[in-house]
Amino acid sequence: MSVGRTLATARRVLRQLGHDRRTVALLLFVPLFLLTLLHYVFDADPRLFDRVGASLLGIFPLITMFLTTSIATLRERTTGTLERLMAMPLGKGDLIFGYALAFGAFAVLQAGLATAVGVWLLDLDLAGSPWLLLFMALLTALLGIALGLFVSAFAASEFQAVQFMPALIVPQILVCGLFAPRDTMQPALEYASNVLPMSYSVNAMTGVLNGTGVPDHFLRDVAVVVGMALGFLALAAVTLRRRTP
């Protein structure tokens, strides 16, 4: 890996994204719309919105980042762009981490906008610091980037890339503790949730929602999410193919 080549890749991806207004709108404004919609769905029960909304500040960006990253990377491969790039002195790690940096810049904007709208416009009631919530939302969005880069290696078309979402993301949403406490689930589901990264993201956000200061488990949850994100990025670099037949 080379820092210069990684940064050059990130700049190229950012330029491409800057010319795609629909993708920019998807990344930045769809999570805001969904949060606002959820606020009015739970209009009669604000406490329910507080409980669910804090976690969704991270989950919505994860979903949009996962979809956008996986499809964008796959498109590079199917159009032959990736093959031409890798004929140059550009390693797989340069490409993967360049993509992660570029989409990570959008993740910062996305998480910042979503947290600002949730806390200051939609009156999300937090006992803890909104900065901790923002930090965890950003890490969750970066996890979505890492997962999207990883699964793009196994998809042969954009349709297949989208199909990975119900296979990989939706099960995590169901067992992460968003709808029911994890310790009340069937033992097999509880064990499964203990190895899925979204469970730790939701656990950290719930801790910020309910407690002042830094929750006792916050650093552990951050370490797990960061570790898994870096692990999926490394796997994405290993499994990346030059093109799709």
Side-chain angles (χ1 to χ4, degrees), residues 131-198:
W131 296 107
L132 290 179
L133 194 66
L134 171 61
F135 178 68
M136 204 64 219
L138 174 59
L139 291 184
T140 309
L142 294 176
L143 175 65
I145 294 172
L147 288 170
L149 290 170
F150 173 63
V151 303
S152 68
F154 302 97
S157 66
E158 294 179 11
F159 179 68
Q160 287 185 8
V162 173
Q163 286 179 314
F164 274 106
M165 195 189 79
L168 186 62
I169 302 299
V170 173
Q172 293 194 63
I173 295 175
L174 295 178
V175 302
C176 69
L178 180 64
F179 301 107
R182 290 159 54 201
D183 56 5
T184 64
M185 299 177 185
Q186 290 292 321
L189 294 180
E190 184 181 358
Y191 295 147
S193 72
N194 289 335
V195 299
L196 296 174
M198 195 180 294

Side-chain angles (χ1 to χ4, degrees), residues 32-244:
L32 307 184
F33 168 75
L34 294 176
L35 276 174
T36 303
L37 179 63
L38 188 70
H39 172 74
Y40 288 106
V41 167
F42 294 136
D43 189 52
D45 191 354
R47 287 303 303 165
L48 185 56
F49 172 72
D50 293 338
R51 185 179 68 81
V52 176
S55 299
L56 292 180
L57 284 175
I59 292 176
F60 284 156
L62 181 147
I63 293 173
T64 56
M65 283 295 177
F66 173 85
L67 288 173
T68 307
T69 307
S70 59
I71 291 173
T73 309
L74 178 65
R75 188 176 297 169
E76 294 261 78
R77 202 171 68 238
T78 55
T79 57
T81 302
L82 182 58
E83 188 174 31
R84 293 192 295 271
L85 287 171
M86 295 187 68
M88 303 166 62
L90 181 71
K92 292 182 177 181
D94 299 322
L95 186 82
I96 289 298
F97 282 91
Y99 261 88
L101 283 176
F103 281 98
F106 275 92
V108 171
L109 293 174
Q110 187 187 64
L113 285 172
T115 304
V117 169
V119 173
W120 287 295
L121 294 183
L122 301 180
D123 298 323
L124 187 65
D125 188 15
L126 292 176
S129 169
W131 296 107
L132 290 179
L133 194 66
L134 171 61
F135 178 68
M136 204 64 219
L138 174 59
L139 291 184
T140 309
L142 294 176
L143 175 65
I145 294 172
L147 288 170
L149 290 170
F150 173 63
V151 303
S152 68
F154 302 97
S157 66
E158 294 179 11
F159 179 68
Q160 287 185 8
V162 173
Q163 286 179 314
F164 274 106
M165 195 189 79
L168 186 62
I169 302 299
V170 173
Q172 293 194 63
I173 295 175
L174 295 178
V175 302
C176 69
L178 180 64
F179 301 107
R182 290 159 54 201
D183 56 5
T184 64
M185 299 177 185
Q186 290 292 321
L189 294 180
E190 184 181 358
Y191 295 147
S193 72
N194 289 335
V195 299
L196 296 174
M198 195 180 294
S199 300
Y200 296 90
S201 174
V202 170
N203 193 50
M205 289 184 163
T206 302
V208 174
L209 174 70
N210 295 325
T212 58
V214 179
D216 294 337
H217 51 76
F218 188 81
L219 294 180
R220 181 208 64 187
D221 295 334
V222 166
V224 171
V225 173
V226 170
M228 288 194 173
L230 292 176
F232 279 115
L233 286 176
L235 288 173
V238 171
T239 58
L240 181 68
R241 293 177 290 170
R242 291 176 180 267
R243 67 176 295 122
T244 297

